[in-house]
Amino acid sequence: MQPPYLADPSRHEGMSYRRSGRSGLDLPAISLGLWQNFGGTDVFATGRAVLRRAFDRGVTHFDLANNYGPPPGSAEENFGRILATDFRPYRDQMVISTKAGYEMWPGPYGNWGSRKYLVSSLDQSLKRMGLDYVDIFYSHRVDPRTPLEETMGALDHIVRQGKALYVGISSYSPEMTRRAAAILKDLGTPCLIHQPSYSMLNRWVEGGLLDTLDDLGMGCIAFSPLAQGMLTAKYLNGQPADARAAKGGTLRAHFLSPETLERVRALDAIAKRRGQTLAQMAIAWVLRDPRVTSALIGARNVEQLDNSLDALDTLSFTPEELAEIDIHAVDAEINLWQASSTAAAG
């Protein structure tokens, strides 16, 4: 039996915190997502060790979604177990977020962006995690068949119920972001934050979204800054047998084209000259823009987590480094969430 968890009293000293847009909420420069590695098919003790280490290093924000697993829901269940055994005394020192928008249960009410689905989903998420409320609840994607007024109205309703303190959106286009923010502003529940994919191989947010968020005073938390592991040392010599790309998941094997791998190797050479790993440089690069509140990372184990968090040691870039990175950091057509970020609501 493990001894009771006591958080490191100096945990906030090595982390920087950034204000989310023009709100009153600070988020850590690096947040931890539970999209992969924390589900029912993963080793529970490893996930628990990663979460403990993250909190001990100043990570105060933990990001989930209803369907994270596998199986769907199991990441929230596991997080709820760890919250009960380790983090309960620290609940008010944590920002916990979850989302709904992708398929979660059979039938017409377990997917997309209806009021019925969003409210029911959050109720289930709260039960799985053993929480009375989450800090941030997101519309996970645009629903092209549901009026945006209904989806945003559901977010407002959830805040008024006391089940979320703030609300956000994920993978919305600049135009849809403006529409969503305007609806929520009229309802009296500001949109706190946008969660888009963003990395050196997926730069779509630079085509107007970051400017939009800055104009609206919304924060930005960039997910997949390592391009699902493509911006790490893992693929520098080709595809290993145990890699995610070999397992038929969200990282498609064709993403690892010879041209993309050549760009990744060139970026790795730049990182080495900076005294960083490629992953550390990729995270620092996302955070170079002050409009980005936080980089949302995953971690398979404590060693991988520590490597990513050490990106905070070297966040600055010279103009020459940025110019050289731009030569190789080009869109690799890996944006799995493009259907949402180009969609219009019903």
Side-chain angles (χ1 to χ4, degrees):
M1 184 175 179
Q2 290 191 359
Y5 169 71
L6 295 175
D8 187 332
S10 63
R11 60 189 175 278
H12 300 119
E13 295 175 6
M15 177 61 68
S16 64
Y17 300 89
R18 301 180 176 199
R19 190 59 56 98
S20 181
R22 291 193 287 273
S23 76
L25 185 67
D26 285 317
L27 294 179
I30 298 177
S31 301
L32 182 64
L34 281 73
W35 177 26
Q36 310 277 352
N37 306 312
F38 294 89
T41 61
D42 297 296
V43 178
F44 178 81
T46 302
R48 185 183 188 186
V50 169
L51 288 166
R52 285 181 165 199
R53 179 63 172 169
F55 194 63
D56 279 342
R57 292 200 57 178
V59 175
T60 54
H61 178 213
F62 300 92
D63 180 81
L64 299 103
N66 58 353
N67 62 334
Y68 288 175
S74 60
E76 289 183 330
E77 290 174 352
N78 284 339
F79 183 77
R81 289 174 60 190
I82 297 164
L83 185 65
T85 56
D86 299 340
F87 292 146
R88 185 64 63 186
Y90 306 102
R91 171 63 183 99
D92 292 337
Q93 301 176 34
M94 306 173 80
V95 172
I96 300 169
S97 61
T98 196
K99 302 177 283 291
Y102 289 91
E103 185 174 6
M104 187 58 194
W105 62 84
Y109 315 122
N111 204 346
W112 295 103
S114 71
R115 183 185 182 101
K116 168 71 172 174
Y117 170 53
L118 295 180
V119 173
S120 300
S121 177
L122 180 55
D123 285 344
Q124 294 182 20
S125 291
L126 292 175
K127 289 178 182 177
R128 282 191 289 268
M129 292 187 284
L131 292 171
D132 297 322
Y133 70 94
V134 292
D135 297 280
I136 307 170
F137 182 67
Y138 289 90
S139 165
H140 207 166
R141 63 170 167 172
V142 174
D143 183 347
R145 297 187 303 146
T146 296
L148 190 61
E149 290 79 6
E150 178 176 340
T151 301
M152 296 303 109
L155 298 185
D156 172 71
H157 172 73
I158 284 165
V159 170
R160 294 181 187 280
Q161 282 186 310
K163 294 176 181 177
L165 301 185
Y166 303 92
V167 293
I169 54 178
S170 180
S171 300
Y172 278 51
S173 69
E175 177 189 358
M176 292 300 298
T177 296
R178 286 191 181 277
R179 284 184 56 193
I183 294 167
L184 285 168
K185 182 178 180 181
D186 287 344
L187 291 170
T189 299
C191 192
L192 173 82
I193 196 165
H194 190 296
Q195 187 175 136
S197 59
Y198 183 37
S199 73
M200 292 190 290
L201 300 178
N202 177 19
R203 300 178 65 168
W204 75 275
V205 301
E206 296 172 8
L209 182 62
L210 289 174
D211 289 336
T212 297
L213 300 180
D214 189 43
D215 185 45
L216 295 172
M218 290 172 57
C220 175
I221 179 167
F223 76 86
S224 204
L226 303 183
Q228 298 194 75
M230 292 173 65
L231 292 169
T232 68
K234 181 178 292 186
Y235 300 103
L236 293 175
N237 298 312
Q239 182 178 306
D242 64 343
R244 193 189 305 178
K247 298 178 181 178
T250 53
L251 178 54
R252 313 288 164 77
H254 70 269
F255 289 173
L256 299 164
S257 67
E259 295 81 9
T260 296
L261 289 177
E262 194 60 36
R263 295 188 190 109
V264 170
R265 293 185 190 105
L267 292 167
D268 181 63
I270 300 171
K272 283 184 168 65
R273 294 202 303 269
R274 284 170 49 82
Q276 289 183 302
T277 65
L278 176 57
Q280 289 165 355
M281 186 179 81
I283 293 167
W285 182 87
V286 166
L287 291 170
R288 82 200 185 285
D289 193 313
R291 296 170 296 184
V292 175
T293 309
S294 184
L296 182 59
I297 65 165
R300 182 179 296 178
N301 51 48
V302 170
E303 180 184 19
Q304 197 176 82
L305 172 75
D306 279 337
N307 180 275
S308 292
L309 291 177
D310 287 347
L312 297 172
D313 294 340
T314 310
L315 289 178
S316 62
F317 291 84
T318 67
E320 294 76 19
E321 286 173 333
L322 290 174
E324 186 179 2
I325 288 170
D326 277 342
I327 296 171
H328 309 288
V330 298
D331 192 274
E333 298 184 357
I334 62 170
N335 186 1
L336 293 169
W337 307 272
Q338 187 173 5
S340 177
S341 57
T342 56

